[in-house]
Amino acid sequence: MRVRYYANNQTNLIEQTIRLENTQYGYRLTGYNARYADTQRRHPNYQPDNFYLSQDDYGNLTCLNIDDKGTTSRCSIRLVQGYSSKNTVLSSFNWRLD
């Protein structure tokens, strides 16, 4: 999984290995092995992310991110449809569909 974040007036891109768990409250995506994107070089101080995704009885989706240090961050869920639109979103993470 790739996460883009902003610090010191610049965009940073991190790549993490993810483990998916189905819990009684929804899905948990547990990140580990945070490294600079497209490298094997570990990021020295990036705290891996833990995303909690749930859906209420009305179908509303909720996303919560709590890193390994316990800091919460904003996150959102967006449905992207269509090949071109998906490539547009993926390009901001230096990825693309083949």
Side-chain angles (χ1 to χ4, degrees):
M1 175 180 74
R2 288 192 175 179
V3 174
R4 186 179 56 224
Y5 72 97
Y6 305 94
N8 302 320
N9 294 323
Q10 67 179 1
T11 301
N12 299 283
L13 192 58
I14 294 298
E15 191 168 306
Q16 304 172 67
T17 305
I18 285 291
R19 182 177 60 245
L20 175 66
E21 301 169 74
N22 189 359
T23 74
Q24 67 184 32
Y25 304 107
Y27 290 104
R28 175 181 174 177
L29 286 79
T30 304
Y32 59 98
N33 190 25
R35 57 200 180 278
Y36 294 100
D38 295 322
T39 74
Q40 291 303 314
R41 196 175 73 164
R42 294 183 61 84
H43 193 287
N45 55 12
Y46 188 86
Q47 297 296 317
D49 297 288
N50 302 285
F51 290 99
Y52 298 87
L53 309 174
S54 61
Q55 187 174 25
D56 67 18
D57 293 338
Y58 302 101
N60 300 312
L61 300 173
T62 303
C63 178
L64 176 64
N65 180 12
I66 305 173
D67 69 20
D68 280 358
K69 199 173 185 179
T71 303
T72 59
S73 300
R74 289 178 26 184
C75 61
S76 61
I77 301 169
R78 178 174 46 159
L79 176 62
V80 180
Q81 295 182 332
Y83 184 85
S84 179
S85 295
K86 289 176 183 177
N87 265 333
T88 298
V89 170
L90 289 172
S91 70
S92 66
F93 294 93
N94 295 337
W95 278 342
R96 58 174 276 119
L97 296 173
D98 289 329

